[in-house]
Structures are given as structure tokens and as C-alpha cells.
Amino acid sequence: MKLYTGGFIVISFLIGWGSCAIALANDAVTFDNTFSLSILLSIASTVATGLIVGRYIQTSLQEDRTEKDLLLKHLTTLNDAVMSLETFTEGGPLPEIRPSLKRVGMSAVSVRRAVEIVGNSRVFPYVDFLESTKQLRSLMTETELEGEDGERDAMKAQVHDDRISWTAHRGAMIASTISEFKAKIVEAQLFINKM
Amino acid sequence: MLTLKVCPMLLIIAKEFTTAPGPRRRDEGKHSGEEFREDYLLPRLRQAIKDGQTLVIDLDGTAGYGTSFLEESFGGLIRNDGYRLPELRRWIEVVSKEEPYLLDEINEYLEDAEACASDKK
């Protein structure tokens, strides 16, 4: 932060000094050695205005960076949650799968809310993860209705003693959905970083 | 003596049923959607309709819901218990601050079950 402020002061000084030097060199400005109160007031007000504008620019740049960092942090949390599902691509205990899916869902919601608070509409298409969340929830926890025929045998899932198992085809679908989800998160991270 | 009076029109799943909702059917594991619907949701719904009040179902505070649990709980009201979508919309309100997307999912299960029921007729 101190380095940032110091840099800003040095740059401001160099710009001011440079423009003065150019103006003097071209005879655009001539010095009158007498000082009056109005000149002093004029200098003071110019310096004060410069400081206020500089401070405003500095604050707004810092806020932008903080917002970006916050969004990226949310996306990292979401990515961690999605990665935790990779343990279950061949099935597993439902009491472990459900909390992991809830974590993904809640992270997706919090990313969306954070973007809404920041109010940057350009980011919205990149942070819409709810459809992918729903797809994963369905693939990892949906079982057939009682008496349902075997039309969807390739996608069949069964639960015994709170443990779900599914066909290799369904496992492959889950793995590819997780990969797509992670790719979407990377895309969102890249977009936010470029903003 | 201080007694706690449970509001009959509010059903908080985490407090009254379980914090770890289970699979679809009773034979698949503990705290199934079938058990929730038959033992908790249906009696409360009947009471709510009888009293002319909306039944508010709070989904928050659990470890998470599987798709089949929710489908069996809510879709099952139409498929197994003979309710129709308009009357369920009139008497049931599902709320969730933690997972608001579940409300859309439940609505889809109800609509699918209603479509199936209409086809059978």
C-alpha cells in the first residue's frame, strides 16, 4: 500500500515537473518574481484538488482490485468443492456425497450473489453455475422410481444401505460433467482477472 | 412451567425429521423421502388443509438433499397420494435460504408428476 502511494506521488511530481519544464521551454509561461495572496491561494487550491483527485483514483483502483480478489476467492472455493466430488465418480456413501453437493450448490449461489453485489453484468454469463450444479446433483443422487422399467439401463443407479452405485456409463457422464464444471470455473477466473 | 408450542403450519425438516435426509425409498436406507412424505409431510399437509392454512416447509439446516429424496417427497404427493398440482401450490410453500435453487427443482418434480398423472387420466 505504501509503495503504491509513494509511486503515485512520484508519478504525479514527474508529470507536474515535466509539463512545467515544457511550458517554460516554449515560453508559454513566464515567471513574475512577485507573489500575491491570490497566487498562493491558487497554488494551494490546485495542490488540494490534485490530492483529492489522486486519492479518489487510488481508492477506486484499490476497490476494483479488492472486488476482483473477492470474486476469485469465491471461485477457488467453488473449484475446491467441485474437486471434492471427484472422489465419488464410481459411487459412494450418500451421507458423504450429499454434503459435498450441498457445498457445491452453496458456493455456486455465493459466487452469483457476490457478482450481483459488485453489479458487473458482463460477468453474469461466466458465473452461472446452477445448471451444472443441478446436472451433477441429478447424476449423483437420482435413482429410478419404484417399478420404473429398464429403459435407461445404461444410466442406472442403485442404493443399498445408504450407498449409491451406478453404471460405468453414468460414472463417465459424472466425470465429464465435473471436468466441464471445472473448465467453466477457469473461464470465469480468466475473465475476472482480465477485467 | 414453560412449554414449547410447535407451530403446526411450519415444518422444519432439520428439527423435526433429520439433519441427514436419506435416499428415495425406505428399503434403501434411513430417513428416506418416502418416510418423510408418509410420516411427516402428509399428516401436516392434511392438518394445514383442514385448518385452511399454508404449510411452510423449511429445507435449511440439513447436510444436503439428494434429488431422489426431494422427488419422492414432493412428486410422490401427486403420484402416490392423489393430490394435484394446483392444490399443492395453494397449500404448500417451500423455503430455503441456503439452497434457493432447490425450490425450482421441487417445482419441476411437481410439474413432471402432474404431467404423468394427467397422462394416466
Side-chain angles (χ1 to χ4, degrees):
Chain A
M1 183 79 83
K2 277 182 184 169
L3 192 70
Y4 192 82
T5 311
F8 176 75
I9 290 168
V10 169
I11 290 167
S12 304
F13 173 78
L14 287 174
I15 291 170
W17 180 78
S19 50
C20 247
I22 290 166
L24 280 170
N26 293 317
D27 289 335
V29 175
T30 51
F31 272 114
D32 181 357
N33 287 337
T34 56
F35 277 97
S36 65
L37 183 64
S38 66
I39 289 171
L40 287 173
L41 284 174
S42 167
I43 291 168
S45 67
T46 308
V47 169
T49 310
L51 285 172
I52 290 165
V53 170
R55 183 74 194 154
Y56 171 76
I57 293 168
Q58 186 191 2
T59 311
S60 95
L61 284 173
Q62 276 169 357
E63 276 172 5
D64 281 355
R65 188 66 248 172
T66 310
E67 282 170 0
K68 275 186 191 181
D69 287 346
L70 187 74
L71 290 177
L72 290 171
K73 203 174 161 188
H74 275 293
L75 285 168
T76 306
T77 309
L78 177 62
N79 193 53
D80 291 346
V82 173
M83 279 172 70
S84 74
L85 294 175
E86 287 176 327
T87 330
F88 307 114
T89 48
E90 291 176 0
L94 278 170
E96 287 177 29
I97 293 174
R98 281 187 296 261
S100 299
L101 284 167
K102 180 173 180 174
R103 211 176 131 217
V104 171
M106 287 177 75
S107 299
V109 169
S110 84
V111 168
R112 180 80 190 175
R113 280 181 184 156
V115 171
E116 279 169 3
I117 290 166
V118 171
N120 191 330
S121 57
R122 285 184 307 147
V123 191
F124 285 141
Y126 293 91
V127 294
D128 193 2
F129 299 109
L130 290 179
E131 195 52 43
S132 307
T133 306
K134 188 181 164 192
Q135 211 177 339
L136 269 178
R137 279 174 45 73
S138 171
L139 281 167
M140 298 184 86
T141 61
E142 190 177 10
T143 54
E144 285 77 19
L145 289 169
E146 201 164 19
E148 208 169 50
D149 55 26
E151 280 174 20
R152 298 187 302 158
D153 269 354
M155 291 292 285
K156 204 171 174 65
Q158 286 178 317
V159 179
H160 290 294
D161 294 330
D162 270 342
R163 200 177 172 84
I164 192 163
S165 58
W166 45 64
T167 59
H169 181 70
R170 187 157 171 162
M173 286 281 287
I174 290 168
S176 81
T177 309
I178 290 173
S179 298
E180 276 172 37
F181 205 137
K182 282 162 61 183
K184 275 184 79 176
I185 294 171
V186 171
E187 207 179 329
Q189 285 169 328
L190 287 173
F191 183 81
I192 289 167
N193 250 329
K194 272 190 170 179
M195 278 191 325
Chain B
M1 193 176 79
L2 182 69
T3 53
L4 283 176
K5 195 177 176 185
V6 180
C7 175
M9 301 310 142
L10 179 63
L11 177 51
I12 303 172
I13 295 179
K15 277 189 183 168
E16 297 179 49
F17 181 55
T18 180
T19 52
R24 179 188 293 278
R25 295 191 303 270
R26 287 178 195 266
D27 60 6
E28 291 175 333
K30 285 183 288 182
H31 308 304
S32 64
E34 189 180 15
E35 182 187 340
F36 171 67
R37 178 170 50 80
E38 290 176 350
D39 300 348
Y40 292 80
L41 183 52
L42 263 176
R44 287 296 183 83
L45 178 60
R46 286 186 187 126
Q47 187 65 44
I49 293 172
K50 194 179 159 195
D51 295 350
Q53 288 189 22
T54 303
L55 174 64
V56 178
I57 302 161
D58 189 341
L59 302 178
D60 290 346
T62 70
Y65 296 90
T67 300
S68 293
F69 177 93
L70 293 175
E71 201 289 326
E72 185 63 36
S73 300
F74 295 95
L77 289 172
I78 295 173
R79 196 171 44 249
N80 300 88
D81 303 307
Y83 286 95
R84 301 308 299 261
L85 185 57
E87 59 183 328
L88 291 180
R89 285 202 171 134
R90 162 72 182 83
W91 298 111
I92 287 180
E93 185 189 350
V94 187
V95 293
S96 174
K97 283 182 184 168
E98 291 176 356
E99 297 177 279
Y101 51 88
L102 293 181
L103 311 185
D104 288 336
E105 277 190 34
I106 290 170
N107 205 35
E108 279 178 32
Y109 304 145
L110 288 171
E111 283 173 0
D112 287 349
E114 176 68 19
C116 285
S118 300
D119 285 350
K120 278 180 185 171
K121 281 198 169 183

